[in-house]
Amino acid sequence: MDTAIVYSRATLGMQAPIVTVETHISKGIPGFSIVGLPETAVKESRDRVRSAIINSHFEFPSKKITVNLAPADLPKYGSRFDLPIALSILIAAQQVQLENLQQYEFAGELALTGGLRPLRGVLPFAIACKLAERSLIIPKENVEEAVLIKGLSVFAPTSLTEICAHLTGFIPMKPCLNTEQRQSQSIKSDLLDVRGQSLAKRALEVAAAGNHSILFFGPPGTGKSMLASRLPGILPIMTEEEALEVAAVASISNQGFKLAQWRVRPFRTPHHTASSVALVGGGSPPKPGEISLAHHGVLFLDELPEFNRHVLEAMREPLESGVIVISRAARQAEFPAKLQLIAAMNPCPCGYLGDPDGRCNCSKEQILKYRMRISGPLLDRIDMHLEMTRVAEDLITGVKIEKTESSEKVRQRVEEARKIQLERNQCANADLQGLELEKVCEVGSTEKELLQGVIKKMKLSARSYHRILKVARTIADLANHEKIAKNHLLEAISFRNFDRKV
């Protein structure tokens, strides 16, 4: 038999499509060619595979070797195909006799010595392998990531020789199984550290309970960044499914997945000089951006007006849909982006507009130009706008002690409110749409009159109106009220007080 077939997988966004590694050895001028749309790193595997086979005490065939990576129209990136290519050559050359090859999938980069080196993007590979009901053979360093998939048999060899010994039954390896129950980390940044700003803490609790986006605007040093960093600590603990989605995004990113971050809500803080590709994703092959790395977590944009306007406008669609699609000429890559946006900005270029000491010297035109850097459509998509004021001196110095709550206590209320939402509408209030929104956020005649007056006076769009209703529904859930009352609406309206006029 001079032909062999081995299974592996490519990377396409969050997907891991199957790749069949077909190898044919024939008579003719000795050569080694790889076809099937391989990129540079895949083509270079010829030299790694040849050295690995020889240094593993096998004979590299002095014949014409053709390796086909099917399907041919799917781009193949990276060094993950080294191992399946080497195995297929050994099988086609009849140096390794196997009967149960079809029940395995392989991935791994080969060292010149025949050892295995770790890969990125193993988690989507493992998920797809589990669905295909096959076992997975990957480098030992990737096992902790792959065994997060329950019920998947994972084998962790360290070399090509060890794999061949296992597959032939000479020295079988034991599968690595997921037996450890991992818990999320404890809260490090606590609300107890925040002095004053009781209204902002309340807004943060409402935002966490309903998964709402929020904009803090106020002078420097009022605690905007500090409050944003406390949001992950009051969000509900991630479910197993959410944790796997977050881990899969991190796995295919440039930073890779770290086991210490398992079931920890992401908190991403890109600098205001970040490009649109860095924020929404892109490149070749397409990689997730900050909005995808913040999936099921928090994306904090500090100094919001300092971001490039085109970068901010690129976020509008993902904020609505919860996904980002990176389109290329041949195909598309889709990444999840169900995030909670927290933004912060100063009221004017110098940051001290309205300061009682009169430190602001910004003109009306400068202030208007500064605020106009944020487009109306983007501002409309942010659920809550809260103005923050300076903290009193006696609270800063500790002369006056303010009674406050820990993040753990606030999170308990948030989880209760989120539980109510999931039982009622199977999603957080911020994700309500269409007829479901009208049904869940139904109000009485008195409340409708109030809302009509607010829409007319504040000149609100339909989107802003719906966001007020969603926030009011969350406030009612925190109070464990079945119906939205007038006081819930008034509080929701107070959380939308950013005025673009100077």
Side-chain angles (χ1 to χ4, degrees):
M1 177 107 179
D2 55 3
T3 303
I5 296 176
V6 176
Y7 293 118
S8 185
R9 291 187 181 272
T11 299
L12 183 62
M14 294 293 295
Q15 300 175 343
I18 190 74
V19 171
T20 304
V21 181
E22 302 172 333
T23 296
H24 179 247
I25 299 177
S26 60
K27 296 179 180 179
I29 299 174
F32 186 3
S33 61
I34 300 176
V35 297
L37 214 56
E39 54 92 45
T40 304
V42 181
K43 292 178 181 178
E44 290 175 347
S45 68
R46 291 176 297 186
D47 299 316
R48 292 192 296 271
V49 167
R50 178 185 283 108
S51 296
I53 288 177
I54 293 172
N55 290 323
S56 297
H57 308 292
F58 293 102
E59 181 183 350
F60 191 82
S62 297
K63 296 182 179 181
K64 185 178 180 180
I65 303 172
T66 304
V67 176
N68 178 39
L69 306 178
D73 62 340
L74 178 68
K76 285 84 178 179
Y77 300 97
S79 56
R80 63 174 54 200
F81 299 106
D82 288 6
L83 175 58
I85 289 173
L87 282 173
S88 64
I89 290 174
L90 293 175
I91 296 167
Q94 300 182 17
Q95 296 186 52
V96 177
Q97 302 291 334
L98 301 177
E99 295 181 357
N100 57 349
L101 190 63
Q102 308 302 315
Q103 70 183 43
Y104 293 100
E105 293 184 11
F106 303 86
E109 177 183 336
L110 286 173
L112 298 183
T113 59
L116 288 177
R117 291 192 172 125
L119 305 167
R120 283 182 182 168
V122 167
L123 201 51
F125 193 122
I127 294 171
C129 184
K130 172 66 168 56
L131 293 175
E133 297 182 348
R134 294 192 182 99
S135 299
L136 180 61
I137 296 182
I138 53 173
K140 189 175 183 179
E141 291 84 352
N142 293 120
V143 167
E144 285 188 335
E145 184 176 343
V147 297
L148 293 174
I149 310 302
K150 294 181 178 179
L152 175 66
S153 294
V154 182
F155 296 90
T158 58
S159 66
L160 179 61
T161 306
E162 192 175 345
I163 295 172
C164 293
H166 166 72
L167 293 176
T168 55
F170 184 65
I171 305 178
M173 293 185 294
K174 292 183 179 180
C176 305
L177 301 175
N178 183 7
T179 57
E180 185 177 354
Q181 288 290 97
R182 301 185 182 276
Q183 300 296 327
S184 60
Q185 294 180 345
S186 59
I187 299 171
K188 294 182 179 179
S189 299
D190 203 289
L191 278 174
L192 288 171
D193 302 329
V194 183
R195 296 184 180 181
Q197 303 297 5
S198 57
L199 184 60
K201 292 177 186 177
R202 169 64 176 172
L204 202 68
E205 180 181 342
V206 173
N211 199 37
H212 301 291
S213 53
I214 185 169
L215 169 65
F216 292 122
F217 64 98
T222 53
K224 302 186 293 293
S225 300
M226 192 176 190
L227 278 166
S229 66
R230 267 64 184 169
L231 179 58
I234 64 174
L235 289 172
I237 297 174
M238 281 199 292
T239 63
E240 191 84 12
E241 183 180 356
E242 289 175 339
L244 279 175
E245 290 178 11
V246 172
V249 174
S251 178
I252 63 174
S253 70
N254 290 327
Q255 67 181 24
F257 171 71
K258 298 177 179 62
L259 199 63
Q261 297 301 312
W262 174 247
R263 297 192 78 171
V264 176
R265 295 274 182 185
F267 183 73
R268 307 294 299 183
T269 57
H271 193 261
H272 63 260
T273 57
S275 66
S276 58
V277 172
L279 201 64
V280 303
S284 182
K287 293 287 186 181
E290 292 291 339
I291 61 172
S292 295
L293 292 172
H295 183 56
H296 289 313
V298 178
L299 177 66
F300 177 47
L301 301 182
D302 200 6
E303 304 294 344
L304 187 66
E306 301 298 334
F307 281 81
N308 186 290
R309 183 168 181 138
H310 297 294
V311 173
L312 293 178
E313 294 305 302
M315 293 182 55
R316 283 162 52 179
E317 182 183 350
L319 285 177
E320 291 285 341
S321 62
V323 295
I324 179 70
V325 179
I326 308 298
S327 298
R328 293 292 180 264
R331 58 188 70 249
Q332 294 179 331
E334 184 177 291
F335 300 104
K338 292 183 179 179
L339 57 97
Q340 196 159 354
L341 175 64
I342 305 295
M345 63 175 287
N346 296 324
C348 66
C350 77
Y352 294 102
L353 179 67
D355 190 278
D357 297 335
R359 284 191 282 178
C360 179
N361 295 316
C362 300
S363 66
K364 184 177 180 180
E365 289 74 19
Q366 288 176 318
I367 299 171
L368 185 60
K369 184 179 179 180
Y370 176 76
R371 295 190 179 185
M372 288 297 290
R373 293 179 185 175
I374 309 172
S375 70
L378 178 63
L379 196 64
D380 217 28
R381 284 170 168 80
I382 300 177
D383 297 344
M384 304 166 66
H385 313 148
L386 183 69
E387 182 176 9
M388 298 181 63
T389 56
R390 290 172 59 181
V391 182
E393 292 83 354
D394 53 0
L395 286 174
I396 295 175
T397 58
V399 173
K400 181 180 178 182
I401 304 299
E402 183 187 48
K403 185 178 180 180
T404 186
E405 293 180 308
S406 67
S407 292
E408 184 63 36
K409 190 171 183 179
V410 175
R411 185 167 69 181
Q412 291 175 6
R413 293 199 298 268
V414 167
E415 288 180 336
E416 287 297 322
R418 189 69 70 89
K419 183 179 178 181
I420 292 172
Q421 296 166 36
L422 295 176
E423 290 177 354
R424 182 186 58 227
N425 25 292
Q426 288 75 54
C427 66
N429 287 335
D431 300 324
L432 290 169
Q433 299 290 337
L435 294 175
E436 189 178 21
L437 170 63
E438 295 180 5
K439 179 182 177 181
V440 173
C441 300
E442 186 179 2
V443 294
S445 57
T446 304
E447 288 75 19
K448 286 181 180 179
E449 291 179 6
L450 171 65
L451 286 170
Q452 287 177 350
V454 169
I455 293 172
K456 185 176 181 180
K457 185 176 181 179
M458 297 178 66
K459 297 181 175 58
L460 298 177
S461 66
R463 183 183 286 114
S464 298
Y465 162 70
H466 287 147
R467 274 163 165 69
I468 288 176
L469 280 180
K470 293 177 185 179
V471 173
R473 179 65 266 177
T474 300
I475 295 170
D477 290 337
L478 282 168
N480 201 17
H481 284 196
E482 186 177 348
K483 296 288 185 180
I484 299 176
K486 185 177 180 180
N487 62 310
H488 303 144
L489 283 172
L490 290 172
E491 186 176 2
I493 293 166
S494 71
F495 289 142
R496 207 169 174 86
N497 58 0
F498 184 80
D499 191 355
R500 294 182 61 86
K501 298 179 181 179
V502 180

